[in-house]
Every structure is written in C-alpha cells, then in structure tokens.
Amino acid sequence: MIEASLAQRGMWVTEQLTETGSAFHVPLVVRFGQDLDSAALLRACAALVRRHPVLAGALREDGDRLVLVPGGRASIESAEGELDESLIREPFDLDKGPLSRFTLFGRTLLFVAHHVVFDGLSKEILLRDLAACYAQELEVSRAAAFWAGRWNEPGETVVQGVPYTARHAGRALATEITLDPPAIAGLSRFEHLLAALHVLLRGYGNADVVTAIDLSTRTSDTHDTIGSFVTELPVASSPRPEQTFLEFATGLRATLREIYRHRAVPLAAAVPHLRPHAALTPVSVSYRRRTEPEPAFEGVTAEVDWTVFNHAVRGAVHLQCVDTASGLRVSLRHLPEVDGPRLAADLAALVAADPGRALGELVGFETRTASSSVLAEQAAPAAASELTEQVRQIWEEVLGISPVLDDDDIFDLGGHSLTITQIIARMDKRLGVKVELDDFFDNPTIAGVLTHAR
C-alpha cells in the first residue's frame, strides 16, 4: 500500500468531480512482424505486470488517505479482427483496478493505461521491459521444445548391483578422493569426469544412464553477488561397448553443449507438472573450477577446505567436485549402504583409463534385471478395502473431485505439491497412516500411495 502523490490525488479528484472521458488514458500501439510468437507475447505481458505490479493496481480511499493498492488480475487478452480503437475510450474503475490493459489483435498490441499510474517516460520503460520479458518467454519456449522429447521422470539407477530410486535428502557418508585426469584434446576435465561416471554406471548395469548436473546461471550482472545462481539439469546417455572412451566422451560433450544453451531456464519452467524432489536423479554431480588465488588474510595464514561434508546427500550418490591447480578434489557423498571407497576406486580407474580403449574392454555391459525382483519383494500387499475408502475420501475432500479411482494420477486431477502435503497431513492425523513425500510423488495414485504407506 503506497500513499498517492499530489499529482495522483489531483487526477483522482478530477475524475470524481467531472466527466473526463478518456482524457487521462495513455494508449500505446505496437505492430509486430509475421514472426511474432503470440502466446509468448501474452505471457511476456503477464511477466511485465509482475515486474511492475502498479499496472494491475487500484487507487482507493483509506480513511483520509488515498492509496495505491493491489487490484484485480491484470487485463491481458487476445481479440479477433483488426485493431479496435474504441477500447482506448473504455473507462477504468480506479477503485477496483486494474489500471492498465493489454489487448492483442492478431500481431498488433494495444496497451492502454490510466495516467494515474503511467506517464510518457513509462512508455520507454514498458517497451524495454516487455522486449526483455518476450525474449525470456521465447527462451522458455525453446527450452520446453528441447526437453519435450528428452525428459522422462527418472526411474531407478543401479549402483553396485542395487537399484536406487532415492531422490530425497538423507543421512550420508562421504569418501574423499583427489583425481588428476590426463589431458584429452577436445575435452574439459569436467567432461572427462562426467563421461567416466556415465561409463561406470553403464558398467553397473544401467543401459540408459541419467545423471543430474548443477550448472551456474550467473551473468555479468551477478558475477560478484552472493546468492544461489544455479540450476540442475539432467544428462542422459546410452554407452555402447564398441565405442572408445574418447568417442563416447566426445558425444557426451556435444550433448552437454546442447543442454548449456538452455541453462538459464529452470527445468520446472520448461517441463509441465514436474514433480519436485530434493534430487533430480538418484546420481548427481556438481563441479566448480577454481581459478582465483587462495584468499589472503593480512598477517595470518589461512587454509580453506572447499568441500566440507554436510553429512547428508540428495539422492543416492552425489559428487561434489572442486577443480584446483593441486588436483580435482571429489567429495563423494552417498547413502550408507553404498560402498563409497569401491565406487571411488572404480571411478578413478576409469578417469585414468586409456581414452582409445573400447568401453566394452573397460566395463561389463550386462544389464541388471534385479530391479524388478527387488521392487516385487518390496511391494506391500493390497491395502484393506476400508482403508482404501478412507484414503479416497480424503483425496476427494482435498481435490474437490468425486469419484477418484484407485489408479487416477493426482497430477492429472489438477493436484500439486500443496495438495499432496494436505493429503499426507490428513492421512497421518485422521488415519495414522504415514507416507513419505517422495514416495507420494513417485506413486501419485491411491493404490500407489497405499503400497508405500506405513
């Protein structure tokens, strides 16, 4: 809530006492070329209003004050036919808002705002920021198209003969190693390490390997700013026994280059209904190359440990890597049941391997089938009919939908993370039935949830 300026108060008084018509309306027309992405432009208009919420505001009395307050939803519409200039004269409700509207006629955008929140210089700012928002929306569209054919909810990843689906955060152990990858022309040390990890996971029995990598999203504007400027994106591969390590790593490098083009767009913005987890995949990697000198404190020596263990892991295995002049330090965080020293030794051997050797000579290419039997062993008996009906009642209450069938996916029914949290809380409080959030996300049906309930 912001108190109105004297100029805004003057316009408000004038509108109350006289018939001003559209005298205080400030229109703007932008005609776009045939390459316009209309959907992206409309989303950009919405993003612009979020950046400048005064455009969706209202001007109303608050006792003896006149204040600007959030109004209704922004008016952003698409209309048929040619530009209709009669909309310029359409009145604004100062008390209810919003005090601007966007209407797209084909490839012509009509913007009209009330002068009480918009002046001449605001036109420049609006067009500058609208262009920036449009560019961002196009970037999201490109990322969505890129991931549409590549993203699937990760299944299990076999590590040392055991399938893991863990994507939550949990207690962990750590194994610390320092690697010195031999230089391979055309590959960075990170690409070399990631290729070795993918080959290792193939050797553990994963025909299709998927890991997640942390990527920096810092720009020149945020280079020296403390904050969280990072995104997590998946990297998939299918190593073949006849490929040499170099051939495989070169192909993985090309995949990474494609992914890098979309690093500015969070996966959740590009993939509809992405299910939130602490980890994107069971196995993940973060890598940072340090080029700055060690920090210097006047009059005293200081030694920094850049990979201090936090006693937890996101997923089943996470490699936190810091590359310095003294070597590539890897803090391998893993669930307690994973043999960390063995995993570290297997990875180090592949990092040091001759890049000209075929993958089939470096690792076995058997595909593990233990996962299905393990899952079968873990499957709980069908829940009692009475419990199923009690759980169904809770789902229908929270979703406001009836009936909900045993195999209905909650995301297909319009559910989201808040909905799931409410269902979990009610099941616990009312029925004494507990379900882990990750289990719910991975099994988002009544039947699936009851299989993992305890």
Side-chain angles (χ1 to χ4, degrees), residues 295-303:
F297 292 82
E298 185 175 349
V300 63
T301 61
E303 182 177 337

Side-chain angles (χ1 to χ4, degrees), residues 372-407:
S372 59
S373 61
V374 169
L375 291 179
E377 292 170 6
Q378 293 176 344
S385 176
E386 181 180 355
L387 179 59
T388 301
E389 292 309 313
Q390 290 172 327
V391 170
R392 189 189 321 281
Q393 182 180 355
I394 292 174
W395 280 50
E396 292 175 351
E397 287 175 3
V398 174
L399 293 168
I401 298 172
S402 181
V404 176
L405 304 180
D406 288 2
D407 295 321

Side-chain angles (χ1 to χ4, degrees), residues 18 29 51 75 149 164 195 205 244 276 291 361 374 448:
T18 63
V29 174
R51 184 177 296 189
S75 176
Y164 292 94
T244 65
T291 57
E361 299 175 1
V374 169

Side-chain angles (χ1 to χ4, degrees), residues 326-341:
S326 59
L328 175 55
R329 297 179 57 185
V330 179
S331 177
L332 199 160
R333 289 96 189 269
H334 54 87
L335 294 176
E337 55 267 34
V338 174
D339 186 341

Side-chain angles (χ1 to χ4, degrees), residues 64 163 245 307 339 357 377-378:
D64 60 351
F245 184 90
T307 57
D339 186 341
R357 292 182 64 187
E377 292 170 6
Q378 293 176 344

Side-chain angles (χ1 to χ4, degrees), residues 238-249:
S238 299
R240 302 191 310 274
E242 71 276 10
Q243 289 178 295
T244 65
F245 184 90
L246 178 58
E247 289 170 341
F248 171 74

